[in-house]
Amino acid sequence: MGLDTAATKPHERLADTLRDEMTAVNALIRERMTSEHAPRIPEVTAHLIEAGGKRLRPMLTLAAARMCGYEGPHHIHLAATVEFIHTATLLHDDVVDESGQRRGRPTANLLWDNKSSVLVGDYLFARSFQLMVEPGSLKVLDILSNAAATIAEGEVLQLTAARDLSTTEDVYLKVIRGKTAALFAAATEVGGVIAGVPEDQVRALHTYGDALGIGFQIVDDLLDVSGDPKSTGKNIGDDFRERKLTLPLIKALARANEDDHAFWKRTIEKGDQREGDLEHALTLMERHGTIEDTRREALAWSARAKDALTLLPDHEIREMLSDLADYVVARIN
Amino acid sequence: MGLDTAATKPHERLADTLRDEMTAVNALIRERMTSEHAPRIPEVTAHLIEAGGKRLRPMLTLAAARMCGYEGPHHIHLAATVEFIHTATLLHDDVVDESGQRRGRPTANLLWDNKSSVLVGDYLFARSFQLMVEPGSLKVLDILSNAAATIAEGEVLQLTAARDLSTTEDVYLKVIRGKTAALFAAATEVGGVIAGVPEDQVRALHTYGDALGIGFQIVDDLLDVSGDPKSTGKNIGDDFRERKLTLPLIKALARANEDDHAFWKRTIEKGDQREGDLEHALTLMERHGTIEDTRREALAWSARAKDALTLLPDHEIREMLSDLADYVVARIN
């Protein structure tokens, strides 16, 4: 990595390297988000798609395809597919979470209504399936349809496990696999599949995306209990106030004495939160070492992601993907 | 058709002829509606799937495959796919329509919540895509993913056209294609595709399902303004009270004088409905001959469905499908 790029964030270097392909992906997204008959569809979709997200998921598909030597046109379709699936889940998530803001702007369910978000989300799911059929690869279809099922299953599990103090780390892992890691893993995996790499490399791409997504999501939990709001843009304690079972909390629960347990029961299960509770919650997590343990787990997932890359072709993009795995956990160092 | 079956409804004769295959479809549905991790999924799904629907859509797939001489196992997968898509759309429809009842039972969104209906619907969509990938036919995937997009587009169009007096017959047709005909058409078409019939027969199967679905939906509109509640199970005037732009109403609007238009504007657009309004609405529809014209259109779609069948192999199931096209419009004769 040269001096000129040392200061640049890895996803920005990826975006730079894949600039032409990302332009093609964005053009395809705009082309396919239209509807001949229902103008509400592109209106709602544009609100999300053009809100300036990092396009990390489609970039992973392009990166994997390029790193694996793919020279055909279909990685563009698959990258757009992945972004459509992501956008559809965001629309439905905001309905389910009754969210009013996303990426600093009012959500679609607020600007239009829940009905539009549900139905436009369905349309984008259907569009994503149309797109993924076009490359004509059954293996790709298998991977993406499995990912879609894992995502939805994770969402239902999150809903039913909400505020449930008996949530285990195992359930937590399934939820974040659904929320984040399944689409990351599918995004990288299909890039290798269309490039026709051998099965062990396909598995390595899956492992990379899966571990990257899990590490990313665990760090998100950590920033809520120990980050610097100025640099992370996250407020300390939002998850506590929303009574979310994050990994530091699950670990604290496993080590709770009777008093601690009564505290968690009151604040998380019953939602009776008072002045000073957040500070006490943070103290309990610190005291039992759960924040440090959670941090170590995030780092382990990042290391696992990088480790998987060693099986893949030596390529400048491989370095960027490795740096990306460092970057997602760097915020907690 | 023998005397012993003359009194039996055509969908019951189809169910009888396809009994073993429907048993296999139901077993596959039960197998695939499970979730290893989220028990909420099979609970919600079973509530709908086991509510005793007629399974008309999967039956159309089985019927088309059998009529076209298919002997493989994949029509079972495709029939289950079609039922999963249908169930997912019902779950989302009930959220969007804020319905409290379906098939005489409380809806899932009422028994659980809107969140569960949205997310379990997403899961069933994803499951349907997993199922449809299994037969390994790209042509089938193309047909079903296109149908899914048409369904969602029709739903959005219905939402944005609601209570809009400028809704044209053209928009109405697109809405009911999305609501009903697209899945009927895909259901029959894929049955022929996996049987490997020539392209003109595939097109005929599509036309049959499309016309059957449109005829079926138009009759549904008619029963609301002219049916016998005792035999149809539909109350006269429900659509008027819910301010739906049904075909008889759209036709009445096209022929409305100034007074009529003010009446429709008050009752449908503004929703200000008073004693005697329903009777006046029915009188306006009668007076302009719109009920009779709508009836003729339903019969024309039925005839078109039967006409398409003439291109298909001579088979006992073909007779049943022809009778089915008669049956869906027979309620208005």
Side-chain angles (χ1 to χ4, degrees):
Chain A
M1 164 166 52
L3 271 178
D4 57 327
T5 55
T8 318
K9 292 170 181 170
H11 60 271
E12 290 169 355
R13 277 187 287 134
L14 275 170
D16 207 45
T17 305
L18 301 163
R19 185 167 310 279
D20 290 349
E21 283 142 303
M22 273 308 298
T23 302
V25 171
N26 286 329
L28 186 59
I29 286 173
R30 270 193 298 277
E31 182 194 319
R32 298 300 175 93
M33 77 190 205
T34 56
S35 153
E36 200 189 327
H37 312 307
R40 174 72 51 91
I41 291 172
E43 284 165 29
V44 172
T45 309
H47 176 71
L48 253 100
I49 292 253
E50 285 160 15
K54 285 189 292 295
R55 299 271 202 280
L56 193 54
R57 293 158 188 82
M59 211 145 65
L60 287 174
T61 300
L62 298 179
R66 178 88 79 86
M67 173 174 64
C68 296
Y70 182 64
E71 292 184 350
H74 288 141
H75 58 328
I76 307 294
H77 285 80
L78 296 178
T81 294
V82 162
E83 187 67 5
F84 270 160
I85 295 177
H86 178 53
T87 308
T89 60
L90 293 185
L91 281 169
H92 287 186
D93 277 1
D94 285 340
V95 170
V96 168
D97 295 342
E98 300 166 22
S99 308
Q101 275 222 336
R102 176 174 293 280
R103 295 173 185 161
R105 305 168 69 199
T107 53
N109 46 312
L110 202 76
L111 283 181
W112 288 273
D113 47 33
N114 280 342
K115 302 173 184 201
S116 299
S117 291
V118 170
L119 297 177
V120 174
D122 287 350
Y123 183 73
L124 296 181
F125 269 130
R127 283 303 231 181
S128 80
F129 281 106
Q130 286 181 311
L131 270 166
M132 74 176 83
V133 172
E134 289 178 38
S137 158
L138 287 165
K139 174 90 177 132
V140 156
L141 288 161
D142 203 39
I143 292 163
L144 288 169
S145 63
N146 288 341
T150 304
I151 292 168
E153 194 173 21
E155 301 270 8
V156 177
L157 195 59
Q158 180 174 38
L159 180 68
T160 52
R163 293 158 192 183
D164 178 354
L165 299 189
S166 69
T167 302
T168 60
E169 292 196 23
D170 187 47
V171 168
Y172 170 84
L173 200 60
K174 282 179 181 117
V175 168
I176 66 172
R177 274 220 158 88
K179 250 171 103 148
T180 309
L183 194 54
F184 274 43
T188 45
E189 196 176 350
V190 295
V193 167
I194 50 161
V197 297
E199 190 52 40
D200 63 329
Q201 293 193 16
V202 171
R203 272 198 303 275
L205 285 165
H206 179 95
T207 303
Y208 171 80
D210 182 62
L212 183 75
I214 292 173
F216 181 86
Q217 201 59 49
I218 293 178
V219 168
D220 222 52
D221 283 6
L222 268 174
L223 295 180
D224 193 74
V225 293
S226 70
D228 171 8
K230 269 190 279 246
S231 65
T232 66
K234 270 200 80 163
N235 296 319
I236 296 279
D238 276 353
D239 289 345
F240 177 76
R241 279 182 288 269
E242 291 170 24
R243 302 152 64 192
K244 284 191 187 159
L245 274 289
T246 65
L247 190 55
L249 175 53
I250 292 168
K251 286 184 184 292
L253 273 161
R255 295 162 200 184
N257 62 31
E258 214 170 301
D259 283 352
D260 297 349
H261 206 271
F263 171 78
W264 295 122
K265 199 173 167 77
R266 172 171 64 77
T267 55
I268 302 294
E269 193 181 294
K270 299 191 198 285
D272 171 10
Q273 297 190 1
R274 305 168 194 169
E275 178 109 23
D277 279 349
L278 172 61
E279 291 69 22
H280 186 60
L282 296 174
T283 307
L284 287 183
M285 290 185 204
E286 262 317 339
R287 185 193 304 158
H288 293 300
T290 61
I291 292 181
E292 185 48 33
D293 283 0
T294 304
R295 187 177 158 277
R296 261 199 295 273
E297 256 183 63
L299 290 170
W301 283 106
S302 166
R304 193 168 170 186
K306 288 195 291 179
D307 196 45
L309 290 175
T310 59
L311 281 169
L312 292 159
D314 186 15
H315 192 286
E316 58 163 346
I317 284 179
R318 192 178 72 168
E319 300 313 309
M320 294 179 203
L321 291 175
S322 180
D323 292 346
L324 183 65
D326 280 330
Y327 178 73
V328 299
V329 292
R331 301 177 291 173
I332 54 165
N333 276 322
Chain B
M1 166 168 50
L3 270 178
D4 56 329
T5 56
T8 319
K9 294 170 181 168
H11 60 270
E12 290 169 356
R13 276 187 289 135
L14 275 170
D16 207 46
T17 306
L18 301 162
R19 185 166 310 280
D20 291 349
E21 284 142 302
M22 271 310 296
T23 303
V25 171
N26 286 329
L28 186 59
I29 286 173
R30 270 193 299 277
E31 181 193 319
R32 299 302 175 94
M33 76 189 205
T34 57
S35 153
E36 200 189 328
H37 313 306
R40 174 72 52 90
I41 291 172
E43 284 165 29
V44 172
T45 309
H47 176 70
L48 253 100
I49 291 253
E50 285 160 14
K54 285 190 292 295
R55 298 270 202 280
L56 193 54
R57 292 157 189 82
M59 210 145 66
L60 286 174
T61 300
L62 298 179
R66 176 89 79 88
M67 173 174 64
C68 295
Y70 182 64
E71 292 185 351
H74 288 141
H75 58 327
I76 307 295
H77 285 81
L78 296 178
T81 295
V82 162
E83 187 69 3
F84 270 161
I85 294 177
H86 177 55
T87 308
T89 60
L90 293 184
L91 281 169
H92 287 188
D93 277 0
D94 284 341
V95 170
V96 168
D97 296 342
E98 300 166 20
S99 308
Q101 275 221 337
R102 176 174 294 280
R103 294 173 185 161
R105 305 168 69 198
T107 53
N109 45 313
L110 201 77
L111 284 181
W112 288 273
D113 47 33
N114 280 342
K115 303 174 185 203
S116 298
S117 291
V118 170
L119 296 177
V120 174
D122 288 350
Y123 183 73
L124 295 181
F125 268 130
R127 284 301 232 180
S128 79
F129 281 106
Q130 286 181 311
L131 271 165
M132 73 177 82
V133 171
E134 290 179 36
S137 158
L138 286 165
K139 174 93 177 130
V140 156
L141 288 161
D142 204 38
I143 292 164
L144 288 168
S145 63
N146 288 341
T150 303
I151 292 168
E153 194 173 20
E155 301 270 7
V156 177
L157 195 59
Q158 180 174 38
L159 180 67
T160 53
R163 294 159 192 183
D164 178 354
L165 298 189
S166 68
T167 302
T168 59
E169 292 196 22
D170 187 46
V171 168
Y172 169 84
L173 200 61
K174 284 181 179 113
V175 168
I176 66 171
R177 274 221 158 86
K179 250 171 103 148
T180 309
L183 195 53
F184 274 43
T188 45
E189 198 176 348
V190 296
V193 167
I194 50 162
V197 297
E199 190 51 40
D200 64 327
Q201 293 193 16
V202 170
R203 272 197 303 276
L205 285 165
H206 179 95
T207 302
Y208 171 80
D210 182 62
L212 184 75
I214 292 173
F216 181 86
Q217 202 57 50
I218 294 178
V219 168
D220 222 54
D221 284 5
L222 267 175
L223 294 180
D224 193 75
V225 294
S226 70
D228 172 7
K230 270 192 281 263
S231 67
T232 67
K234 269 200 80 162
N235 297 319
I236 296 278
D238 277 353
D239 290 344
F240 177 75
R241 279 181 289 269
E242 291 170 23
R243 302 151 63 193
K244 284 190 187 160
L245 272 289
T246 64
L247 190 54
L249 175 53
I250 292 169
K251 286 184 184 292
L253 273 161
R255 296 162 200 183
N257 63 29
E258 215 169 301
D259 282 352
D260 298 350
H261 206 271
F263 172 78
W264 295 121
K265 200 174 166 76
R266 171 171 65 77
T267 54
I268 302 295
E269 194 181 295
K270 299 190 198 284
D272 171 10
Q273 297 190 2
R274 305 169 194 168
E275 177 109 24
D277 278 350
L278 172 61
E279 292 68 23
H280 186 61
L282 296 174
T283 307
L284 287 182
M285 290 185 207
E286 256 329 331
R287 186 192 305 158
H288 293 300
T290 61
I291 292 181
E292 185 48 33
D293 282 0
T294 305
R295 185 177 159 277
R296 260 199 295 270
E297 257 182 61
L299 290 170
W301 283 106
S302 165
R304 194 169 169 188
K306 289 195 290 180
D307 196 44
L309 291 175
T310 59
L311 281 169
L312 292 159
D314 187 13
H315 192 285
E316 59 164 347
I317 284 180
R318 192 178 73 167
E319 300 312 309
M320 293 178 204
L321 291 175
S322 180
D323 292 347
L324 184 64
D326 280 330
Y327 177 72
V328 297
V329 292
R331 300 176 293 173
I332 56 166
N333 276 322

